[in-house]
């Protein structure tokens, strides 16, 4: 093993799978450990001979918090640049030494006490509304009078714009120009998002919204460098690819080298203020045809000569900064990669993805769990006679399929656990069953919230201008793929001539572009469901069961 491989192997720290750990900022674990060690050391002594070790530790924490609070206040209010750099260093170093609870207190303080001055805003609005618009009266005012009136308007408007800026804007602006400040701001936002997940506070939401807007501006595509990541890059960069790969974990150095080798590409967005660390990266496979399973992309097939490839398949896209959540860097990354690959390899004519459906199994189990229990008493005998024994009202699954899924998830908290891999793999025999085709087709094409599809990955690609081309059964047999998506994966296709049109129609009307085959499956499934409702409406009413509504969305 060469030195680079050994370095990556020794230095790479895989991301934790525990959601509670992911919710914290990346430095929390290290910082909290150092804080706990220092607290333990302090607790062994006495302060002034009278205070216990526990009280001494609390007093020290309190002093640390006050010091960080004072440095934050100074960073907002001071003007001298040479002193400001020192203050910003003190603030960032002190922030990392705070416990999670003290960070929460500090951020709530920042959100509430350093917000905009609403009393001043109200007063300026009153003054503005009290002004008479130039030329609004019947008497023609002179040029000098009009200039004076406009001057008053401009002055109040300028003051109003200034008053509508919260005081914490100065802190964000100054940190952005400070070495390491942009990374620090992303960590602060990660902590804000972690707190908001626990308690939804209006002032904190406003702080998050403002910081997100600032980060979106500072991380515009013009400020980002598109970099092709290869095996020749520093080990420190490659270890981050291994650590932050979120879709298909990199199992070993051979796997990493394969993903960066012949027939493969990896591109990342870098920012000058965060050197050596991609903010987001995408992995591409060069293939003859659009792949239907992730196995053939990662392991099964050796790479083809690149000159024979006609398809660039995007099979993984991962963000490395939790604090940049909601800032759609992936949209710009995909479009730039498409242009770059097309320029360098004109023979590539198809740009597609092989994507998971991470919300599918949770949605399916929630639908199963929420259906009324119809197989009780007399209902069981009547319903079994007409083969409507499934409690799944939308008739997505056959009765034996529903029983297998419900049995696998019995006794487990809803939405948390999914059927075992063995149970799902046994369902491969039903891969051509219309009920399976209908369930995931309808989830992607018909299930919506606020006009957009439920699935986050689908929403991402559709709003970027892709269309749903094909759904692939048992395309990801990994534990994660079976748990989240039931092994199903989707091919989204980016047609160069239609990207902007498709993105525009989805954004404005929620229209989903899909291949003719998928549209036909949905139409057939809708008709079958409506026919089922019509045939069984009478028997349902007879036994006091809730009647299906043909006008409701089908599955």
């Amino acid at each position: 093993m060469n030195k680079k491989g050994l370095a990556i192997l020794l230095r790479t720290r895989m991301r934790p799978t525990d959601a509670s750990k992911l919710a914290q900022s990346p430095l929390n674990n290290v910082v909290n450990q150092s804080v706990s060690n220092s607290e333990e050391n302090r607790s062994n002594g006495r302060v002034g001979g009278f205070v216990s070790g526990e009280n001494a530790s609390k007093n020290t924490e309190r002093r640390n918090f006050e010091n960080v609070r004072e440095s934050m206040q100074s960073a907002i209010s001071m003007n001298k640049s040479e002193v400001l750099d020192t203050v910003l260093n003190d603030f960032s170093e002190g922030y990392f030494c705070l416990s999670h609870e003290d960070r929460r207190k500090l951020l709530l303080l920042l959100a509430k006490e350093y917000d905009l001055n609403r009393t001043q805003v109200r007063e300026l609005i009153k003054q503005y509304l009290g002004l008479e618009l130039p030329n609004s009266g019947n008497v023609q005012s002179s040029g000098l009078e009009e200039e004076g009136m406009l001057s008053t308007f401009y002055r109040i408007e300028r003051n109003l714009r200034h008053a509508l800026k919260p005081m914490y804007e100065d802190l964000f602006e100054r940190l952005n120009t400070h070495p390491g400040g942009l990374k620090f701001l992303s960590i602060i936002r990660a902590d804000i998002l972690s707190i908001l997940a626990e308690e939804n506070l209006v002032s904190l939401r406003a702080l998050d919204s403002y910081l997100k807007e600032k980060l979106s501006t500072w991380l515009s595509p013009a400020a980002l460098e598109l970099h092709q990541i290869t095996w020749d890059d520093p080990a420190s960069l490659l270890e981050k690819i291994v650590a932050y790969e979120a879709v298909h974990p990199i199992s070993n150095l051979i796997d990493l080298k394969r993903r960066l080798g012949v027939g493969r590409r990896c591109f990342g967005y870098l920012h000058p203020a965060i050197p050596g660390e991609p903010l987001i990266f995408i992995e591409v496979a060069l293939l003859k045809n659009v792949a239907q399973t992730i196995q053939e992309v990662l392991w099964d097939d050796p790479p083809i000569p690149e000159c024979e490839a006609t398809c660039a398949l995007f099979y993984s896209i991962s963000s490395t900064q939790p604090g940049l959540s909601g800032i759609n860097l992936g949209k710009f990354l995909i479009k730039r990669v498409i242009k770059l690959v097309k320029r360098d390899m004109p023979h590539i004519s198809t740009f597609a993805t092989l994507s998971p459906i991470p919300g599918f199994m949770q949605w399916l189990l929630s639908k199963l769990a929420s259906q009324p229990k119809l197989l009780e008493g007399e209902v069981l005998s009547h319903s079994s006679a007409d083969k409507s024994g499934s409690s799944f009202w939308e008739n997505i699954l056959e009765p034996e399929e529903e029983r297998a899924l419900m049995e696998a998830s019995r006794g487990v908290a809803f939405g948390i656990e999914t059927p075992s891999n063995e149970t799902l793999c046994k369902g491969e025999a039903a891969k051509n069953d219309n009920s399976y085709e209908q369930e995931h087709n309808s989830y992607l094409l018909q299930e919506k919230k606020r006009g957009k599809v439920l699935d986050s990955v689908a929403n991402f690609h559709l709003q970027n201008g892709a269309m749903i081309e094909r759904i692939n059964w048992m395309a990801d047999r990994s534990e994660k793929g079976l748990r989240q998506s039931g092994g199903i994966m989707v091919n989204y296709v980016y047609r160069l001539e239609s990207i902007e049109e498709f993105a525009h129609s989805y954004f404005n009307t929620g229209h989903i572009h899909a291949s003719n085959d998928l549209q036909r499956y949905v139409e057939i499934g809708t008709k079958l469901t409506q026919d089922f409702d019509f045939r069984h409406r009478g028997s349902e009413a007879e036994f006091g069961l809730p009647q299906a509504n043909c006008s409701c969305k089908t599955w």
Side-chain angles (χ1 to χ4, degrees), residues 178-279:
H178 186 69
L182 187 60
K183 172 76 172 180
F184 179 38
L185 285 170
S186 72
I187 293 173
I188 288 178
R189 183 161 185 261
D191 287 338
I192 293 173
L193 293 174
S194 175
I195 298 168
L196 284 173
E198 301 170 359
E199 47 186 336
N200 193 6
L201 302 174
V202 175
S203 58
L204 203 60
R205 283 207 314 270
L207 177 68
D208 172 64
S209 177
Y210 204 86
L211 180 54
K212 177 185 175 183
E213 183 180 337
K214 287 292 182 182
L215 289 171
S216 299
T217 302
W218 296 327
L219 296 173
S220 65
L224 299 173
E225 174 195 352
L226 181 63
H227 174 69
Q228 181 178 343
I229 300 166
T230 69
W231 185 254
D232 294 329
D233 278 309
S236 59
L237 189 150
L238 297 185
E239 72 177 27
K240 292 180 174 63
I241 300 300
V242 177
Y244 288 112
E245 166 57 54
V247 185
H248 305 292
I250 298 174
S251 54
N252 51 44
L253 290 178
I254 297 175
D255 188 10
L256 173 62
K257 201 164 186 176
R258 174 184 169 90
R259 298 192 194 196
L260 303 177
V262 177
R264 300 292 183 267
R265 295 290 188 274
C266 182
F267 298 94
Y269 261 151
L270 298 169
H271 192 281
I274 311 178
E277 183 168 353
L279 304 182

Side-chain angles (χ1 to χ4, degrees), residues 358-370 409-419 483-484:
F360 175 64
M361 287 306 300
Q362 182 176 4
W363 169 82
L364 179 59
L365 287 179
S366 71
K367 297 302 295 182
L368 289 168
S370 64
S409 58
R410 180 170 297 170
V412 183
F414 150 70
I416 303 301
E417 189 71 20
T418 54
R483 184 179 67 251
Q484 292 186 338

Side-chain angles (χ1 to χ4, degrees), residues 30-301:
V30 176
V31 171
N32 290 342
Q33 181 64 41
S34 63
V35 171
S36 63
N37 291 341
S38 61
E39 289 174 356
E40 182 178 354
N41 293 335
R42 287 194 299 268
S43 66
N44 293 330
R46 298 168 66 87
V47 178
F50 298 100
V51 184
S52 67
E54 182 179 353
N55 289 337
S57 176
K58 290 181 179 180
N59 290 336
T60 303
E61 286 185 4
R62 191 177 300 112
R63 285 196 301 272
N64 289 341
F65 177 82
E66 291 301 325
N67 289 338
V68 177
R69 177 179 179 176
E70 289 175 7
S71 63
M72 183 178 72
Q73 164 64 30
S74 300
I76 293 174
S77 59
M78 292 185 68
N79 294 320
K80 295 182 179 181
S81 58
E82 64 276 7
V83 179
L84 183 60
D85 286 339
T86 303
V87 170
L88 290 172
N89 282 332
D90 292 341
F91 172 57
S92 58
E93 292 172 5
Y95 182 87
F96 288 132
C97 292
L98 295 178
S99 65
H100 181 70
E101 179 57 29
D102 280 343
R103 290 191 189 190
R104 174 185 171 279
K105 287 167 53 181
L106 187 74
L107 291 173
L108 288 175
L109 180 74
L110 180 65
K112 293 179 180 179
E113 295 192 11
Y114 294 90
D115 199 356
L116 56 86
N117 187 336
R118 289 183 174 81
T119 301
Q120 182 184 10
V121 171
R122 288 171 60 88
E123 181 59 35
L124 288 170
I125 291 175
K126 289 179 181 179
Q127 294 178 26
Y128 193 80
L129 293 175
L131 295 178
E132 182 179 351
L133 292 173
N135 297 327
S136 61
N138 296 327
V139 180
Q140 183 70 28
S141 59
S142 67
L144 291 176
E145 290 175 338
E146 184 173 337
E147 281 295 311
M149 296 171 68
L150 287 174
S151 176
T152 304
F153 270 101
Y154 294 151
R155 176 176 53 81
I156 296 180
E157 288 166 354
R158 183 182 64 251
N159 293 338
L160 186 57
R161 283 194 298 270
H162 180 75
L164 285 171
K165 293 181 179 179
M167 288 181 281
Y168 46 67
E169 182 191 67
D170 290 334
L171 178 65
F172 298 157
E173 294 280 359
R174 290 170 175 179
L175 280 172
N176 179 51
T177 58
H178 186 69
L182 187 60
K183 172 76 172 180
F184 179 38
L185 285 170
S186 72
I187 293 173
I188 288 178
R189 183 161 185 261
D191 287 338
I192 293 173
L193 293 174
S194 175
I195 298 168
L196 284 173
E198 301 170 359
E199 47 186 336
N200 193 6
L201 302 174
V202 175
S203 58
L204 203 60
R205 283 207 314 270
L207 177 68
D208 172 64
S209 177
Y210 204 86
L211 180 54
K212 177 185 175 183
E213 183 180 337
K214 287 292 182 182
L215 289 171
S216 299
T217 302
W218 296 327
L219 296 173
S220 65
L224 299 173
E225 174 195 352
L226 181 63
H227 174 69
Q228 181 178 343
I229 300 166
T230 69
W231 185 254
D232 294 329
D233 278 309
S236 59
L237 189 150
L238 297 185
E239 72 177 27
K240 292 180 174 63
I241 300 300
V242 177
Y244 288 112
E245 166 57 54
V247 185
H248 305 292
I250 298 174
S251 54
N252 51 44
L253 290 178
I254 297 175
D255 188 10
L256 173 62
K257 201 164 186 176
R258 174 184 169 90
R259 298 192 194 196
L260 303 177
V262 177
R264 300 292 183 267
R265 295 290 188 274
C266 182
F267 298 94
Y269 261 151
L270 298 169
H271 192 281
I274 311 178
E277 183 168 353
L279 304 182
I280 188 171
F281 61 91
I282 189 169
E283 297 172 65
V284 187
L286 305 178
L287 308 168
K288 285 187 177 180
N289 300 296
V290 179
Q292 300 185 45
T293 71
I294 195 61
Q295 287 79 227
E296 61 189 280
V297 175
L298 296 180
W299 290 109
D300 289 356
D301 296 333

Side-chain angles (χ1 to χ4, degrees), residues 1 187 391 511 544:
M1 181 183 297
I187 293 173
S391 65
H511 177 68

